[in-house]
């Protein structure tokens, strides 16, 4: 499969935007990254089906979230399943004074007809010990 490096860069930019919107508690910026038919599972196992459910949860949780530190996101592996579908493994680290904690999200991203990549499915998993 011939993969365009612009697609890799676009996907990495989405991951960077996830980091930025989480740090800034930018609910609408975060939600703009999702496909209308997205499916999302939080690190604590809450399943959110469809954009409306993701938006309701995010608008409730993100603005009131608090942490003493910062979060970083980095795409560690991008696997193109088709030219317009990619599985993206993420390393998510919360840096806090009391110590770091880690998440291990997997995003399935799809490319729209207009060329934009969006998160179509996401599964976050808390990394323990």
């Amino acid at each position: 499969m011939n993969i365009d490096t612009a697609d890799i860069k676009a996907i990495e930019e989405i991951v960077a935007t996830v980091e930025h919107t989480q740090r800034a508690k930018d609910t609408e910026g975060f939600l703009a990254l999702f496909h209308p038919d997205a499916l999302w599972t939080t690190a604590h196992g809450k399943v959110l089906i469809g954009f409306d459910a993701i938006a309701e949860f995010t608008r409730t949780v993100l603005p009131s979230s608090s942490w003493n530190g910062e979060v970083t996101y980095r795409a560690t592996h991008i696997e193109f399943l088709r030219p317009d579908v990619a599985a993206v493994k993420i390393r998510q680290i919360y840096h806090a004074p009391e110590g770091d904690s880690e998440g291990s999200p997997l995003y399935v991203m799809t490319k729209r007809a207009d060329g934009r990549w969006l998160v179509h499915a996401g599964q976050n998993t808390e990394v323990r010990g």
Side-chain angles (χ1 to χ4, degrees):
M1 181 179 333
N2 188 12
I3 302 304
D4 187 344
T5 56
D7 286 327
I8 294 170
K9 183 167 177 50
I11 289 169
E12 289 172 341
E13 286 175 9
I14 294 289
V15 174
T17 303
V18 170
E19 176 181 309
H20 171 76
T21 58
Q22 291 290 309
R23 286 181 175 195
K25 299 183 184 181
D26 176 3
T27 302
E28 299 310 312
F30 179 71
L31 291 173
L33 304 174
F34 285 89
H35 187 279
D37 298 324
L39 167 67
W40 186 259
T41 304
T42 71
H44 301 290
K46 184 166 184 65
V47 177
L48 305 166
I49 299 173
F51 182 83
D52 290 342
I54 295 166
E56 180 181 357
F57 177 82
T58 301
R59 289 179 179 134
T60 300
V61 173
L62 186 56
S64 63
S65 62
S66 63
W67 55 81
N68 297 323
E70 61 183 39
V71 62
T72 58
Y73 289 75
R74 183 172 57 88
T76 58
H77 182 77
I78 299 171
E79 182 74 30
F80 287 89
L81 308 176
R82 297 186 337 205
D84 62 340
V85 179
V88 183
K89 194 65 188 154
I90 311 292
R91 184 163 191 228
Q92 170 193 59
I93 301 181
Y94 288 99
H95 304 279
E98 60 275 2
D100 292 350
S101 62
E102 187 172 346
S104 182
L106 173 66
Y107 301 161
V108 176
M109 299 181 70
T110 55
K111 187 176 182 179
R112 305 282 294 206
D114 65 4
R116 288 181 30 224
W117 284 90
L118 295 175
V119 177
H120 208 121
Q123 168 75 47
N124 196 356
T125 304
E126 181 181 2
V127 175
R128 295 186 180 199

